Each structure stands twice: as C-alpha cells, then as structure tokens.
Amino acid sequence: MCSDMLVAGGSVTLMSRCPTAGCLRLIQSRARISPPHVTTGKLVQNGMEKKAVICIEGNIASGKTTCLKYFEKTSNVKVLTEPISKWRNVRGHNPLALMYQDPERWGITLQTYVQLTMLDTHLSAMTAPIRMIERSIFSAKYIFVENLFRSGKMPEVDYAVLSEWFDWITTNISIPVDLIVYLQTSPQTCHERLKQRCREEEKVIPLEYLESVHQLYEDWLIKRNSSPLPAPVLVIPADHDPQKMLQQFEENREKILAASYR
Ligand code: TTP
Ligand code: MG
C-alpha cells in the first residue's frame, strides 16, 4: 500500500491509496477490451515518457473551471473542461434542464450521457505530458448518480443499469488518474456562487442539494468510507475569494504538477 503526504493551504493531510483502488488498477491492467485510442490515455507512452492525469473535483460552483483556467497557461499542461455544453444540448435536447425539472424521469437520461461524455474525455488523445480534467467519470457515478439514488429520486432499476454500465467500463477499460485535487468548500459558499452566476438550469438547486453533494464528496475523498479512490488526493480549501484562490493555486502549483513525476 503506497502512501502520500500532501500539504495544502497550510494544513497537512496524510493520504494513501486505498487497497480497493489497488484492486481496481489490477483489474484494469487485465483489460480485455482496448479500443485503439485507449492507449493514448496511458501513463507510460513509448516505453519511457511519463504522462500524468489530474482530476479537479469539488461541489457545484466550487471553482473547478477557475482552477483549470489558471493552469491552462502552464506549458506542458493540457486542460479539458467539462462537456457541460453537450449536457445542455444533445441534438437539440437539454438533458441537464430536464433532470432538474424531473429527476425521477430524466436522471438516468442525463447520467447516461454524462458517463459517455466523461469516458470520451478520459480516452481522448494525450496531447501534452500533463492533462487536467474537470471532474471524472468516477465522481459522476460516486457523487451524482449516488445522490439521485439515495435521495429517492432515481428508481432502483435505473440505478442498477447505470451501475452495470459503470462497472463494465471500469473493469474493461483502463482509466488512469494520478492525482485528485479536491476543492473543498462549504455548501453555503457554493450556494452563494450559484446564485451569483445564475446558470438558467441551476436556478432550482436548493442548499440541501449542495449539502448532499458535499457529504458524498467528504465520504469519498476525506473519510474514505464509501467508494474506491482511483488516486491520491490533494485537498485545497476553496471558500476564499477569487484573488486568494489564485494565490492558493500558485502555492500548490508544484504539488499538483508533481503528479507527473510520481
Ligand atoms: P459541475 O460539474 O459542478 O460544474 P461547474 O462548472 O458548475 O463547477 P465549477 O463552478 O466548480 O467549475 O456541474 C455542472 C452541472 O452539471 C451542475 O448543475 C451539476 C450537473 N451535473 C449532474 O447533474 N450530474 C453529473 O454527473 C455531473 C458531473 C454534473
Ligand atoms: Mg465548471
């Protein structure tokens, strides 16, 4: 079992890869199905070159896009922001808006599409030594699908089908992640930011929804008592104003980019 000591925002967090994640990797290394472009997402290319995948995670409006935009200017880093425009428009339909209007009916529709688009992002060709992604296929399942199901807004059969899909994908396709950067916020901060940015679909989101998402993130990335961790976690406190956040990103630059030397 390998351990990592990660320090962020003045606090020290002892992080370790959990044994379950180790199992997950073992299963992945026995991949039976490898679409031609899957190899492009691998950690080691041409036998020598080390590539790193960093996922930026956190509640809705925690500042993930801001973080990615900050690192976009760094050489050797390719940033992939979330395909939210696709979730708002698939062949003229808006599954994100539909899900917020009627989660019982449309939750599976949105989450099936989120899973597909996230998989597409993970498997796209690596064009730089370091890749930074907004979220991951893992949080789509462990946070959002889980939240819909546990809150009684997703029928059990929909949850079962989505889980079968997710298990098949993670068992048969290698999805390497080297570091998770967790932008840790209070649900109240996210609620304030949501109200300010006023994304049409999200006007209906109550504070309780953000509290549930927050709890699932804490269970997954801090308490580690729910779903397997695909990588070590670096926690960055993210309740601060934009100026202070940029400062925090700069202070953590080395630790984040060090994912490529591990
Ligand atoms: P976020 O992934 O949180 O993206 P964001 O741009 O709002 O975050 P940030 O400000 O930190 O950059 O969510 C985008 C929207 O998609 C949000 O309304 C939540 C929703 N969503 C789901 O409903 N299901 C999912 O699986 C995911 C990943 C997002
Ligand atoms: Mg964003």
Side-chain angles (χ1 to χ4, degrees):
M1 182 156 123
C2 94
S3 295
D4 301 81
M5 176 80 84
L6 298 168
V7 187
S11 63
V12 179
T13 319
L14 182 63
M15 297 294 177
S16 62
R17 280 181 208 269
C18 83
T20 332
C23 295
L24 184 71
R25 292 198 155 208
L26 192 63
I27 292 164
Q28 286 168 349
S29 71
R30 293 192 197 121
R32 291 194 300 271
I33 296 173
S34 294
H37 54 301
V38 167
T39 50
T40 56
K42 280 203 175 132
L43 208 59
V44 178
Q45 288 198 328
N46 310 325
M48 293 295 287
E49 202 181 347
K50 178 91 164 76
K51 303 236 175 186
V53 179
I54 301 162
C55 296
I56 311 298
E57 296 282 358
N59 208 336
I60 303 168
S62 56
K64 299 179 293 297
T65 301
T66 311
C67 176
L68 287 161
K69 284 202 159 43
Y70 182 77
F71 283 99
E72 201 163 31
K73 297 164 225 138
T74 309
S75 62
N76 291 340
V77 174
K78 173 70 184 167
V79 157
L80 300 178
T81 47
E82 207 165 53
I84 186 168
S85 56
K86 291 187 183 173
W87 309 341
R88 298 170 102 178
N89 184 359
V90 50
R91 303 187 186 194
H93 301 275
N94 185 339
L96 183 67
L98 289 170
M99 186 281 294
Y100 280 125
Q101 282 159 26
D102 186 353
E104 269 114 328
R105 169 65 185 85
W106 299 109
I108 186 158
T109 309
L110 173 70
Q111 294 305 145
T112 303
Y113 194 49
V114 168
Q115 189 155 266
L116 172 66
T117 55
M118 288 310 308
L119 181 62
D120 188 47
T121 299
H122 283 290
L123 300 185
S124 63
M126 290 276 287
T127 55
I130 301 173
R131 156 178 290 180
M132 291 181 95
I133 307 181
E134 184 163 5
R135 289 198 187 284
S136 60
I137 194 167
F138 301 102
S139 54
K141 172 68 168 65
Y142 300 152
I143 306 297
F144 287 93
V145 173
E146 213 53 51
N147 189 34
L148 283 165
F149 178 59
R150 289 192 199 180
S151 60
K153 294 195 177 106
M154 177 175 277
E156 201 167 334
V157 60
D158 291 0
Y159 178 73
V161 170
L162 271 170
S163 299
E164 285 289 309
W165 262 114
F166 178 79
D167 292 348
W168 189 93
I169 290 166
T170 50
T171 301
N172 291 288
I173 301 176
S174 174
I175 303 175
V177 176
D178 297 283
L179 179 70
I180 291 176
V181 174
Y182 175 35
L183 301 183
Q184 190 179 40
T185 49
S186 70
Q188 288 78 8
T189 301
C190 293
H191 201 230
E192 284 310 312
R193 291 179 187 164
L194 265 185
K195 282 191 276 186
Q196 276 167 24
R197 84 174 173 200
C198 226
R199 211 181 254 159
E200 192 55 40
E201 293 86 350
E202 296 176 345
K203 285 182 177 162
V204 294
I205 298 181
L207 177 61
E208 296 73 54
Y209 185 83
L210 299 171
E211 284 170 346
S212 308
V213 169
H214 174 74
Q215 203 46 60
L216 284 162
Y217 259 116
E218 293 285 301
D219 290 347
W220 180 38
L221 299 181
I222 305 293
K223 295 185 195 142
R224 289 126 184 270
N225 59 8
S226 55
S227 307
L229 269 181
V233 181
L234 172 69
V235 184
I236 299 185
D239 274 332
H240 308 291
D241 60 51
Q243 196 58 38
K244 168 88 175 155
M245 282 317 300
L246 296 184
Q247 200 183 317
Q248 295 246 80
F249 296 147
E250 188 53 39
E251 280 166 18
N252 285 283
R253 170 186 290 279
E254 288 308 313
K255 269 175 245 134
I256 294 172
L257 301 183
S260 60
Y261 325 130
R262 283 201 186 99

